[in-house]
Amino acid sequence: MLFDALFLQLGYNASLVAIGAGFLGIAAGVTGTFLYLRKQALLSDAISHATLPGVGLAFVLMALVGGSGRFLPGLLLGAALSAGIGLLCVSALTRRTRLSEDSAIGAVLSVFFGFGIVILTVIQTMSTGRQAGLESFLLGSTAGMLFNDAVVIAAGGALTLLAVLLFRRPMGLVAFDPEYAAARGFNVARIDLVIMTLALAVTVVGLKIVGLILVVAMLIIPPVAARFWSDRMEVVALLSGLFGGLSGWAGAAISATAPALPTGPIIVLVCFGLFVLSLFLAPGRGLLAALTRHLRFQRRVHLRQGLLALAQGQPIYERLTLRLLRRAGLARADGVATDEGRARAAKALRDEKRWELVRSDPDFAAAALSYDGLAGIETVLTVDQIAEIDNRIGAPREVTS
Amino acid sequence: MSGAEFVPLSLPPLLIGILAAVACALPGNFLVLRKQALIGDAISHVVLPGIVVAFLVTGTVGAGPMMLGAMGSSVVAVGLIEAIRRLGRIEPGAAMGVTFTAMFAAGVLLLEQSDTSSVHLDVEHALYGNLESLIWLDAVGWQSLLDPVALAGLPPELPRIGLTCLFVIAFTSILWRPLKISTFDEGFAATAGMPTTLIGLALVIVAALTAVAAFDAVGSIIVIAMFICPPAAARLMTNRLETQIGWSVVFAVLSAALGYVLAGYGPLWLGRDNAVSAAGMIATVSGAILALAALFGPCRTRTGAPAS
């Protein structure tokens, strides 16, 4: 059943929704990357909530002039206009007054949303009797999606993607270092505006499928997940688009398999699942990688300290150290060194002595910087240098214990 | 309008709206100054799964379990945001965005999966609240305010939000000095020996508590608006925190009263016969007040800072 849905075998409507959601996810993921790197992820929250009055007013307007009122491009145009006004309000409040950006975002999103609800209640009482079903824009609804709607969504997503492709260099520059971008002659304010307009476009396109409360997730979660996997902006943007597209497509497919699985929330939860996977599994920044790094480091420290203790004939009480030494075949269960252990211990102690000299001699200042108590001296100094140090220390002696 | 009509139909919702607005605006002042204004937004999204789980466990829509569930999920959300921020080294805004959208989605999914058709529990209710329906049927006029029998029939939301409001006032006045100092100069507060992390956490928890209590009565949209708009407008009126809090309370009361009246009677004055959403109208009025403050407030610009 799920496989049928994933490979678009579950009927016309389900296929339309899956394709549309996939396109939307790709566009949202790629666009969201720049928003996230610019540290303005939550701006999308203001954008999405500010679409509601526009949707309502567009409906009223179209109904008044005798149209059906549910004409999707008209509604989306209204949404885009009012979201644009919301964006202008946020930037005016941040620039012209002393309010910080988060207050401006919160104020705009709550006020616009409240005003939108006022308009929705007006529509509910309109005499036309045509129940608008505009509530579906809150949480998205894919049940009655038409071919034209899917085309609007796919085309909008594709256009957004194209714009991102065109503006990726300046947008990346501004996201990482606005001052440098300004010094290079880029108009930072205008590029910021481009980023926001693209986010706005994705939001408006996504209204129909995931709804205005959850479309934010499509802009925020994929880039955050993708950021775990790479430090290169292009890779992050591509991965983010991949995650977004995957969750849109898989989410829509899953929701088509059963009646009580609303599309928007399922897409967001699939997205969140990808985020959790990234959080744990990503190499480098992921939790598991960090944990193994930490454990490996811990083992090296314990082993080194254990060897030094063996070399100086001190008893070892620390359990982990003892276990590590025994597992490496360097010591017996009672803490007495094996032959190999004695050899390694002697070398460790001798290295320590060598390091002592390196760190006290200004000639070796550069090499002394890489001393961390763990690195073998032969990885830092040449054979000749070590020989010279050994000359000063004297010949090796046998470990007596 | 006569008391016989006003007291049962309009007085309780009006009072509830005003109390909720004030209760939200007080902690909102500190949240706005600490650049944590969006906490209210996040909380109002994450309480949904908590409320649905509480319903699924108890099978009723009683206020107690709902509040517990909402509190529980707020705490889970705060923990999750912190965990994602620290473990993943992600900036706080994005961590918040990831958490609240995912939890809200989970809430909607749970709601759709469970059979809630028999009870009044849906997403729209959570968003708009049901301020207009909180009527006091036992009242016959102003004299009912002194009648203990009639008073027993007050909507339970009224005493609940009243208590919350009192609690918030007590919290702010008792912790006034530490709150003020740690908000303006966290470093100094820490050197003076104040547990700044604890104070910040307490503020967030009080905000969550207020949000949950107000949420039950008036819906999330008023909660978000009242956390931010009146304090933000008040911030543009003065440079003193004491005065700012005074202004924010005035603005909150004004938004709630004016918004309720406009929603209930505005359409009548325009010749239409159906009221519009009071919650939405209150948020709209608070936004209008903020807009006026941003245009004409005496302290609206940054002083001393470069005009970038």
Side-chain angles (χ1 to χ4, degrees):
Chain A
M1 182 79 167
L2 182 59
F3 278 96
D4 286 350
L6 282 175
F7 296 107
L8 307 178
Q9 302 296 311
L10 215 62
Y12 183 65
N13 184 269
S15 309
L16 270 188
V17 174
I19 292 171
F23 269 106
L24 169 73
I26 295 172
V30 175
T31 313
T33 309
F34 295 95
L35 211 59
Y36 169 58
L37 293 177
R38 191 84 178 90
K39 295 195 169 48
Q40 293 194 309
L42 282 177
L43 196 60
S44 53
D45 205 21
I47 298 176
S48 67
H49 283 76
T51 54
L52 190 61
V55 172
L57 285 177
F59 179 86
V60 172
L61 208 65
M62 287 192 293
L64 284 184
V65 298
S68 86
R70 260 188 277 182
F71 180 56
L72 187 63
L75 293 178
L76 294 189
L77 190 68
L81 282 179
S82 75
I85 296 172
L87 264 181
L88 289 182
C89 288
V90 171
S91 97
L93 279 177
T94 334
R95 277 161 202 258
R96 298 279 164 82
T97 75
R98 68 201 324 194
L99 294 178
S100 57
E101 186 165 41
D102 64 318
S103 304
I105 290 174
V108 165
L109 86 84
S110 58
V111 171
F112 273 67
F113 193 65
F115 184 56
I117 289 171
V118 169
I119 295 175
L120 283 194
T121 47
V122 170
I123 291 175
Q124 278 170 355
T125 62
M126 271 182 20
S127 53
T128 48
R130 280 172 291 198
Q131 180 54 30
L134 289 187
E135 281 79 12
S136 71
F137 277 92
L138 290 178
L139 294 172
S141 144
T142 50
M145 199 152 112
L146 305 173
F147 181 71
N148 284 341
D149 299 349
V151 168
V152 168
I153 290 165
L159 277 179
T160 317
L161 216 53
L162 196 69
V164 171
L165 219 59
L166 279 177
F167 290 107
R168 68 186 189 285
R169 303 291 303 175
M171 287 197 306
L173 198 57
V174 168
F176 277 105
D177 196 342
E179 275 92 28
Y180 176 65
R184 285 281 304 271
F186 287 101
N187 186 336
V188 174
R190 197 178 300 161
I191 293 166
D192 266 342
L193 195 70
V194 171
I195 300 181
M196 276 152 215
T197 313
L198 291 176
L200 192 154
V202 170
T203 310
V204 168
V205 168
L207 282 186
K208 176 75 183 162
I209 295 186
V210 284
L212 66 85
I213 300 179
L214 289 176
V215 72
V216 188
M218 304 287 292
L219 281 164
I220 298 182
I221 303 181
V224 173
R227 183 67 186 82
F228 281 105
W229 296 87
S230 171
D231 287 332
R232 295 194 54 81
M233 193 193 72
E234 293 83 359
V235 183
V236 172
L238 279 178
L239 267 178
S240 170
L242 184 74
F243 286 164
L246 197 66
S247 47
W249 171 57
I254 294 171
S255 90
T257 56
L261 295 173
T263 315
I266 295 284
I267 292 178
V268 174
L269 288 176
V270 171
C271 218
F272 185 70
L274 287 175
F275 162 78
V276 172
L277 279 182
S278 307
L279 176 68
F280 281 101
L281 298 182
R285 289 171 68 100
L287 283 187
L288 276 181
L291 192 68
T292 44
R293 240 191 341 265
H294 174 77
L295 287 179
R296 200 177 305 143
F297 181 72
Q298 190 184 30
R299 274 205 300 274
R300 282 181 67 195
V301 171
H302 276 271
L303 211 54
R304 174 88 189 169
Q305 294 302 322
L307 283 176
L308 287 178
L310 283 183
Q312 285 160 337
Q314 296 158 346
I316 299 169
Y317 299 111
E318 219 279 324
R319 291 242 177 105
L320 178 63
T321 312
L322 215 51
R323 203 166 65 230
L324 286 170
L325 284 173
R326 218 171 63 212
R327 204 184 301 159
L330 301 178
R332 295 202 312 258
D334 55 1
V336 177
T338 61
D339 283 348
E340 197 197 343
R342 226 169 286 152
R344 288 276 299 277
K347 173 165 183 324
L349 190 61
R350 187 161 183 79
D351 274 1
E352 204 58 29
K353 194 78 193 161
R354 287 162 168 167
W355 272 118
E356 206 173 280
L357 197 137
V358 168
R359 291 166 70 208
S360 62
D361 188 339
D363 287 350
F364 290 111
L369 281 181
S370 41
Y371 174 77
D372 59 358
L374 292 174
I377 196 161
E378 61 278 359
T379 63
V380 179
L381 297 179
T382 62
V383 180
D384 293 346
Q385 283 172 312
I386 294 177
E388 189 203 328
I389 294 168
D390 284 352
N391 261 337
R392 292 201 227 164
I393 300 175
R397 290 190 308 270
E398 191 186 346
V399 177
T400 46
S401 69
Chain B
M1 180 170 28
S2 69
E5 191 184 332
F6 177 76
V7 173
L9 293 182
S10 287
L11 187 63
L14 197 57
L15 274 180
I16 290 172
I18 289 174
L19 287 172
V22 172
C24 290
L26 280 177
N29 277 296
F30 296 99
L31 293 178
V32 163
L33 288 170
R34 286 165 168 255
K35 300 196 183 2
Q36 294 179 322
L38 289 170
I39 290 263
D41 180 36
I43 291 171
S44 63
H45 283 90
V46 301
V47 293
L48 185 67
I51 289 180
V52 180
V53 168
F55 167 74
L56 291 180
V57 171
T58 61
T60 57
V61 281
M66 296 269 157
M67 296 274 280
L68 275 182
M71 277 313 287
S73 64
S74 311
V75 171
V76 168
V78 169
L80 210 57
I81 291 175
E82 275 299 295
I84 290 178
R85 196 172 68 82
R86 300 228 169 131
L87 295 178
R89 278 164 292 163
I90 292 166
E91 55 136 342
M96 203 190 246
V98 170
T99 309
F100 82 73
T101 50
M103 285 183 71
F104 188 78
V108 175
L109 183 63
L110 273 176
L111 201 56
E112 294 281 331
Q113 287 282 310
S114 58
D115 177 31
T116 49
S117 52
S118 56
V119 293
H120 189 60
L121 182 67
D122 54 40
V123 177
E124 272 102 39
H125 171 216
L127 289 172
Y128 323 152
N130 54 349
L131 196 52
E132 294 91 339
S133 67
L134 300 174
I135 48 177
W136 183 20
L137 287 174
D138 297 322
V140 291
W142 289 106
Q143 66 273 20
S144 302
L145 287 178
L146 301 173
D147 177 7
V149 182
L151 279 177
L154 267 178
E157 283 85 356
L158 184 56
R160 208 178 301 143
I161 195 75
L163 276 179
T164 314
C165 196
L166 277 181
F167 170 73
V168 171
I169 292 173
F171 171 80
T172 347
S173 38
I174 291 171
L175 284 180
W176 175 255
R177 273 175 58 80
L179 267 178
K180 184 177 174 182
I181 296 175
S182 69
T183 298
F184 282 100
D185 194 339
E186 185 144 12
F188 172 70
T191 29
M194 290 177 194
T196 46
T197 322
L198 210 64
I199 295 173
L201 196 66
L203 181 65
V204 171
I205 289 176
V206 167
L209 196 79
T210 319
V212 170
F215 181 81
D216 170 47
V218 296
S220 63
I221 194 66
I222 296 191
V223 173
I224 309 172
M226 287 304 135
F227 264 124
I228 300 172
C229 290
R235 171 107 175 90
L236 305 175
M237 301 297 290
T238 172
N239 282 324
R240 291 190 58 80
L241 182 60
E242 290 80 2
T243 329
Q244 181 190 323
I245 289 194
W247 273 114
S248 74
V249 170
V250 170
F251 287 151
V253 171
L254 199 65
S255 316
L258 204 60
Y260 183 77
V261 171
L262 277 181
Y265 304 103
L268 297 181
W269 299 335
L270 290 176
R272 308 184 61 113
D273 47 357
N274 293 93
V276 296
S277 158
M281 207 48 159
I282 291 174
T284 311
V285 171
S286 75
I289 292 175
L290 175 61
L292 287 178
L295 289 176
F296 307 111
C299 300
R300 60 183 183 277
T301 49
R302 290 186 186 90
T303 44
S308 66

